[in-house]
Amino acid sequence: MKELRGKNVQISDTVLLRRAAENKKYLLSLDSDKLLLNYRLEAGRPTENYGALPKDIHGGWEFPTCQLRGHFLGHWLSAAALEYDRTGDRELLGKAQNIVDELELCQIDNGGEWVASIPEKYFTWIGRGKNVWAPHYTVHKTFMGLIDVYRYCHYDKALKIADAFADWFLKYSESFTKEAFDDVLDFETGGMLEVWADMLEITGKYKYKKLLETYYRGRLFDKLLAGEDPLTNMHANTTIPEVLGCARAYEVTGDERWRKIAEAYWECAVTSRGSFVTGGQTCGEVWTPKHNMASRLGDKNQEHCTVYNMMRLAGFLFEWTKEPKYAQYIEKNLYNGIMAQSYWKSSDSHGQNSGHPEEGLLTYFLPMRAGGKKGWASKTSDFFCCHGTVVQANAVLNRYMYYRQEEELYICQYFDSTAEFDINGEKVTIEQKEDTLSGSFHLSSTSPARQAISDVTAKVAEHPDVKMVYFAIHTKDPVELKLHFRIPEWVKENVQVTINGEAYAKTGRPGEFLVIEQSLKDGDTIGLKLLKSVKAVSLEGDEKKVAFTYGPLALVGLCDSEKTLTADKENPSDILKHSNEREWGSWKDSFITTGQQDAIRFIPIKDVGYDAYTVYFPIK
């Protein structure tokens, strides 16, 4: 089974489109010369002027004195390539090609192999045991960007540069004994394994088989295979990219050992560990203790990089197993991680002013403590690792939705979108569209004055608590198609299905796939009614504290300290009621507590900007 992606999946969901547009705007706003500065300095090439650094130089982890300098350019190249693969945007393509052209000149001036933004001596130092801040992590980003530009932009020069760069690492790694190189691998290696697997698949060269085995981190992988827990209190995003490399190595080589490592990692990191209500699992960048999130409610929970990379791992595992739990994990982390930690935009209007900025680019962490606040990073003065995963994550918002296997299609996520594929030479298009049951297109005061009269507005007078999704089939001739619809775990009860407006015999149970197998012709429609409700989710490690969800959304209370709620947590709908549920032509997912000393307003965590919020509440 393979995922449909790139131009085969077009998104039309307005929330996703806004985020994708903001992401593209940010990518194009970054000056190429400043992105390339550290590579040019390392190669001794001319910069903007002599005796002074360029104006408005990129700061934070991109500043020339930081040992991770240059890491972001690789992320940028990858994001630009992924965006081009999705939309065919020529401006981003040209910018990416020009950057690769300059990297080629840097490689030539470095002697024909080295093309990094940091010096080779950093690798000599870690070979001696001297502390350096993750040189493998930094150069992995360069490799990743070059490979993605080759793969998605079809720019051969990028592959040529990466292949020559790999020769340096082959000679470097051959200078160590296996035991000595294991010590080197204890310094964060990023996704080097994934690089070697990708290059092996692309080139077929033996050197990449050798590099795969050399970069096998036995001190981690062997413990996972033995069923041990090497993760608790260990840095999470050091190991996640390594295991993503194992997943790619399995796909490229077919060696079951690599797959077993990836599956054992998921078991240790997710299944036997649990998560916060948002889907995240870290605090201070380390894995929390198993099923004891209560001891780790802080201001540095849920690092964005771990969200993005664990979603990628879930994507691999879903393709291998078709188990809906992995798609469920992706959905939870997309809404409450990717959307909650990037490209926030204020809804203030008509003279309203909160006193805070109206936008937020990214937040490295997502605090879980009572009264926590998101910390929004700048556009050019920070460049944390999460800057990189933010631009990549928002370049692939059309991913994880549709998967294809011969005459079968798996529909895993519910956003307005279109999927295109062929069945036995017949082009098939499936258009997914949500009926919001609002009965109105009046979205703002700038809407056209003419408004159609609709009986829906009176029939659905209150928040409908439902996600109505329709799928329209477009094909020249009838096709035999087996559709698998994921029924989310959050659905209130079995899902009713209609085909061309008529009730379908089967119903879908939460947490499973509903299968519809029949001949479909042009114009056929399939409808799913997904009922939503407020649910209370206990905090792992402290059953007396709960968080609240509404459908896939984690809800948070807007308050600056912990508040105790007096209620029956088995009946959360008695605690939270819809509040301010309608704005122009849209239903709003906002709530307010009832029967409490203090009325607390609840909104999705993805909609929080600069306000203090609380995730977990004691219940008595």
Side-chain angles (χ1 to χ4, degrees), residues 19 275-286 288 293 296-308 332-344 361-377 384 386 390 552-556 603-616:
R19 293 174 178 275
S275 69
F276 297 111
V277 68
T278 55
Q281 297 150 301
T282 59
C283 180
E285 300 191 14
V286 304
T288 56
M293 310 296 157
R296 302 294 170 92
L297 301 182
D299 61 347
K300 296 180 178 64
N301 296 110
Q302 193 168 301
E303 180 191 3
H304 180 277
C305 285
T306 65
V307 173
Y308 173 70
K332 181 183 290 188
N333 281 273
L334 175 60
Y335 276 106
N336 308 303
I338 302 302
M339 291 188 183
Q341 294 178 254
S342 62
Y343 295 112
W344 171 79
L361 177 64
L362 76 106
T363 176
Y364 194 128
F365 298 111
L366 193 64
M368 296 290 161
R369 72 180 184 187
K373 289 185 178 181
K374 297 178 182 179
W376 295 103
F384 309 128
C386 299
V390 159
L553 305 173
L555 302 175
V556 295
I603 64 173
I605 196 169
K606 71 179 181 64
D607 294 338
V608 175
Y610 289 83
D611 291 315
Y613 65 89
T614 297
V615 181
Y616 288 98

Side-chain angles (χ1 to χ4, degrees), residues 142-152 162 195 198-199 202:
T142 305
F143 271 113
M144 172 185 66
L146 289 167
I147 290 170
D148 283 347
V149 169
Y150 167 76
R151 179 188 284 148
Y152 301 117
V195 165
D198 284 340
M199 292 296 285
I202 293 168

Side-chain angles (χ1 to χ4, degrees), residues 220 224 228-235 239 264-265 268-269 273 286-288:
L220 169 66
L224 288 168
E228 299 178 29
D229 175 14
L231 301 184
T232 298
N233 289 326
M234 295 299 291
H235 190 261
T239 55
Y265 190 91
C268 186
R273 191 169 305 276
V286 304
W287 289 112
T288 56

